[in-house]
Amino acid sequence: MSEKIKLMIAEDFQLLREDLSELLNTQPDMVVVGTAASGAEICELSLKTDCDIILMDIEMETLNAGIMAAEKIRQVKSEQKIIFLTAHETETMIFTALGTGAVDYVVKGHNEANILEHIRRAYNGTPIMEGKIHATFLKEYSRLRRSERSLLFFINNVSQLTSTERELVKLLLQDKTIKEISSIRCVEPVTIKTQIKSMLRKFGCSRTKEIVKMIRDLNIEHLF
């Protein structure tokens, strides 16, 4: 028979921890090599115990104890795979948890066969994610890619701005009107409008509000 999957469990609810241990130990290809009731305990245990997979709850001694523990463990024991087994299923929590390098995220309440399948697939290097978890991950990944493309596009356009246009952007970020800008720069409003039209063409925008929104969305107001 092939070597058993060595598992550890981090779960602060004792009854659930015991039930999970019993389930895993009855499997012919699994063995529980350690359990912990807190993030601090699982960090200490992971350093001295040979383990393949850690089933990690998120909320233990603190609201994000499991996430903090996962980050620490991944820094020194990257070979230990982490599957979050938790009641939390908000998009923010899911993405934050997977950002630690965990291989899977399972919401409590699934039947035993499903949990066992997640463990075996993770061990074999082909982890599976539930539909909602996968969709959340893809949604955030897509958002980040869009932000990256927007940022590259914006930086390229900024490099083409004249010093006058950069000053215009700075004033627009201060929510100044054309009349106020013309007064500050001591030029006629028609001159400001001409300069703004040139700037809009460079950004492919039709209104200055679009440029301002782009800068604020990308959180790069400090560049001006």
Side-chain angles (χ1 to χ4, degrees), residues 103-121:
V103 298
D104 203 353
Y105 190 108
V106 182
V107 178
K108 289 177 179 176
H110 283 286
N111 60 54
E112 295 178 352
N114 188 274
I115 294 174
L116 295 173
E117 176 67 8
H118 276 268
I119 292 171
R120 293 186 176 105
R121 289 286 296 272

Side-chain angles (χ1 to χ4, degrees), residues 76-205:
V76 293
K77 287 282 189 175
S78 59
E79 72 278 7
Q80 294 181 352
K81 298 177 180 179
I82 295 173
I83 297 176
F84 281 104
L85 182 58
T86 176
H88 294 282
E89 52 182 328
T90 64
E91 291 188 355
T92 300
M93 188 65 80
I94 291 168
F95 198 75
T96 301
L98 291 175
T100 65
V103 298
D104 203 353
Y105 190 108
V106 182
V107 178
K108 289 177 179 176
H110 283 286
N111 60 54
E112 295 178 352
N114 188 274
I115 294 174
L116 295 173
E117 176 67 8
H118 276 268
I119 292 171
R120 293 186 176 105
R121 289 286 296 272
Y123 178 73
N124 291 323
T126 57
I128 52 175
M129 290 188 187
E130 297 301 322
K132 179 178 180 179
I133 309 303
H134 188 250
T136 297
F137 191 78
L138 288 180
K139 178 182 177 181
E140 183 65 11
Y141 176 75
S142 177
R143 185 191 68 79
L144 290 173
R145 286 299 301 274
R146 287 197 303 273
S147 294
E148 180 184 16
R149 287 195 297 270
S150 296
L151 181 58
L152 291 173
F153 172 77
F154 183 79
I155 290 175
N156 180 60
N157 286 331
V158 166
S159 67
Q160 300 176 41
L161 295 180
T162 64
S163 58
T164 297
E165 289 168 340
R166 289 179 66 88
E167 181 64 22
L168 279 176
V169 172
K170 182 177 180 179
L171 293 170
L172 289 170
L173 286 168
Q174 296 171 19
D175 296 320
K176 301 293 185 184
T177 65
I178 289 179
K179 184 178 181 180
E180 289 171 331
I181 294 174
S182 66
S183 177
I184 292 170
R185 295 188 60 80
C186 298
V187 297
E188 292 296 321
V190 66
T191 302
I192 299 299
K193 289 180 180 179
T194 300
Q195 292 168 343
I196 287 176
K197 284 181 180 179
S198 174
M199 186 174 65
L200 289 172
R201 282 197 296 270
K202 291 180 180 180
F203 282 100
C205 297

Side-chain angles (χ1 to χ4, degrees), residues 1 5 10-11 48 68 71 116 157 168 171 186 189 204 220:
M1 183 178 177
I5 304 171
E11 167 61 58
K48 59 185 180 182
M68 299 300 292
E71 290 178 341
L116 295 173
N157 286 331
L168 279 176
L171 293 170
C186 298
I220 51 176

